[in-house]
Amino acid sequence: MEESGKKEKQTILSGIQPTGVFTLGNYIGAIRNWGKMQEEYDCAYFVADLHSLTVRQDPAALRKQSLDAFALLLSCGIDPEKSLIFIQSHVPAHAELSWILSCYTQFGELSRMTQFKDKSAKHADNVNAGLFTYPALMAADILLYQADLVPVGADQKQHLEFTRDVATRFNNLYGGAFKIPEPYISQTGAKIMSLQEPTKKMSKSDENKNAFITILDEPNVIINKFKRAVTDSEKEVCFREGKDGINNLITIYSILTGKTVAQVEQEFAGKGYGDFKLAVGEVVADKLAPVRENFKRYSADRAYLEQVYRAGADRAAAISARTLAKVKKKVGLAAR
Ligand code: TYM
């Protein structure tokens, strides 16, 4: 993200869709780390509202959820004094570059995207072109800011690979327009599983509300959901193949307490699943309490939110315009 021409820190960029309140999966796999990276990197984070249009949305709900998502990012520790933070649709360069990149993208490679296959099976009555070209928009998001690193959960890895492919292809044709970004996926917590079907990813679009924790759930709701979490018929709290439910709970507990898996196993040796589930619920409720408190404050302050997202959009527009101008020139679009 070169603004002044001189550059020292690497650039981090990531986004999140505003469909529904963020889950514990989003928090552990992605956002929790975003705030921590602000000191070391030049960071850009955004609400990916254009991506959400690939699934039919209620307009009033989407508008509200986008503002809530913006307030949630602030609540999770993203500081607008340190990071660039904006709403994707406020920056037209994303849609423009997405179109150009889609002309350098093959039908075959988009057909192989697992998210496209999953979502088109799930929304069989609305397999729209946007759902198909979604990766080109995501590539545009990343490449516009010349990002070095993209912190995401494991489910986004294939989209990152596509981004690298399309950027390399473009660079080979026209000479270095884009930095080739690296995915930044943590070793643990990159895939938090459903509490009800622990072989499936925890997802905010799950119809079973007990399957996921939202980061605004009240403590008693969190604890009850963990009490109901599906585990197995054994008794031992240990991380082992086949114990998907317990493995997921150990992962969550270990990440949020900073303890190793071995320390967690030791802590609960000889104790039952009931005690363990309660302990996990309590830690999660505890960690999310400040986020909930911050959200109350930010979401009530509409004027502040407006000021922050407008300033973010202006800065994002200035940075992205540079890459877009370079690309337009390279592909032969006439200058204005
Ligand atoms: P989205 O909105 O589905 O999810 C946001 C982030 O949360 C991660 N995540 C998880 N991590 C661990 N366990 C889970 N159960 C879990 N569920 C979700 C996701 O991997 C993601 O990092 N296409 C993206 C948004 C996007 C984007 C971008 C991201 C648009 N443009 C550019 C990075 C760069 C998406 O739908 O994420």
Side-chain angles (χ1 to χ4, degrees):
M1 260 194 312
E2 293 176 53
E3 275 179 307
S4 59
K6 78 173 164 56
K7 179 167 163 74
E8 292 137 19
K9 295 178 177 172
Q10 284 195 306
T11 295
I12 288 258
L13 173 132
S14 203
I16 185 160
Q17 290 196 56
T19 32
V21 178
F22 305 160
T23 67
L24 183 64
N26 297 132
Y27 182 74
I28 292 184
I31 324 166
R32 185 181 64 98
N33 302 316
W34 295 358
K36 295 183 189 162
M37 293 169 162
Q38 299 177 115
E39 311 299 332
E40 213 181 317
Y41 299 97
D42 260 341
C43 298
Y45 301 116
F46 66 95
V47 174
D49 56 347
L50 292 174
H51 280 93
S52 295
L53 296 180
T54 54
V55 173
R56 198 66 69 234
Q57 304 288 340
D58 171 61
L62 178 61
R63 217 169 351 258
K64 177 173 186 311
Q65 284 168 357
S66 296
L67 296 184
D68 282 353
F70 193 81
L72 274 173
L73 291 180
L74 298 175
S75 309
C76 290
I78 293 166
D79 176 352
E81 299 289 318
K82 295 181 183 156
S83 298
L84 170 60
I85 167 166
F86 62 96
I87 296 176
Q88 185 187 30
S89 65
H90 292 177
V91 188
H94 290 243
E96 281 188 81
L97 182 61
S98 167
W99 170 254
I100 297 176
L101 291 179
S102 70
C103 299
Y104 294 81
T105 298
Q106 299 304 305
F107 182 87
E109 59 190 337
L110 291 181
S111 312
R112 286 192 292 276
M113 293 289 144
T114 49
Q115 186 170 302
F116 171 69
K117 290 191 227 164
D118 291 350
K119 286 210 174 169
S120 44
K122 202 164 161 199
H123 305 278
D125 56 338
N126 184 22
V127 184
N128 60 74
L131 195 61
F132 191 61
T133 58
Y134 181 115
L137 178 58
M138 185 156 158
D141 299 335
I142 297 167
L143 300 175
L144 276 174
Y145 299 85
Q146 306 288 348
D148 295 284
L149 296 169
V150 183
V152 283
D155 62 335
Q156 297 299 318
K157 187 162 180 260
Q158 198 184 26
H159 290 158
L160 257 295
E161 278 158 10
F162 165 78
T163 302
R164 290 167 56 86
D165 289 347
V166 76
T168 306
R169 188 175 306 147
F170 195 95
N171 283 353
N172 287 343
L173 280 169
Y174 301 106
F178 300 124
K179 167 137 335 137
I180 309 296
E182 296 281 342
Y184 193 95
I185 301 173
S186 60
Q187 297 280 346
T188 51
K191 195 168 183 189
I192 297 299
M193 309 310 266
S194 153
L195 297 186
Q196 291 297 316
E197 280 175 85
T199 50
K200 259 178 45 184
K201 177 184 89 159
M202 181 182 283
S203 160
K204 51 194 158 200
S205 56
D206 204 311
E207 273 158 25
N208 183 348
K209 301 281 176 253
N210 284 324
F212 61 91
I213 304 286
T214 85
I215 64 175
L216 294 179
D217 278 346
E218 295 289 336
N220 62 327
V221 174
I222 296 177
I223 288 168
N224 279 329
K225 285 183 183 176
F226 276 105
K227 278 188 185 159
R228 291 198 193 111
V230 169
T231 50
D232 52 59
S233 54
E234 297 174 12
K235 287 195 179 65
E236 210 187 338
V237 178
C238 69
F239 198 102
R240 197 171 347 108
E241 211 185 319
K243 288 174 76 75
D244 300 306
I246 288 292
N247 293 351
N248 191 37
L249 300 185
I250 292 181
T251 302
I252 294 170
Y253 190 78
S254 133
I255 289 176
L256 295 182
T257 56
K259 293 177 184 164
T260 63
V261 169
Q263 284 169 331
V264 179
E265 288 173 340
Q266 208 173 17
E267 186 178 341
F268 292 95
K271 294 190 186 146
Y273 285 178
D275 288 344
F276 178 52
K277 286 178 176 181
L278 181 64
V280 183
E282 281 172 349
V283 161
V284 171
D286 220 43
K287 287 284 170 192
L288 295 181
V291 176
R292 227 178 33 251
E293 283 309 306
N294 290 341
F295 181 73
K296 277 186 205 147
R297 209 158 29 86
Y298 284 125
S299 57
D301 195 347
R302 189 58 194 263
Y304 176 72
L305 288 180
E306 261 178 35
Q307 179 201 324
V308 176
Y309 67 64
R310 284 198 183 137
D314 287 345
R315 220 184 121 208
I319 298 168
S320 56
R322 292 233 205 106
T323 303
L324 187 63
K326 205 190 301 181
V327 167
K328 283 181 166 174
K329 188 168 173 203
K330 285 189 185 286
V331 299
L333 299 176
R336 232 177 85 175

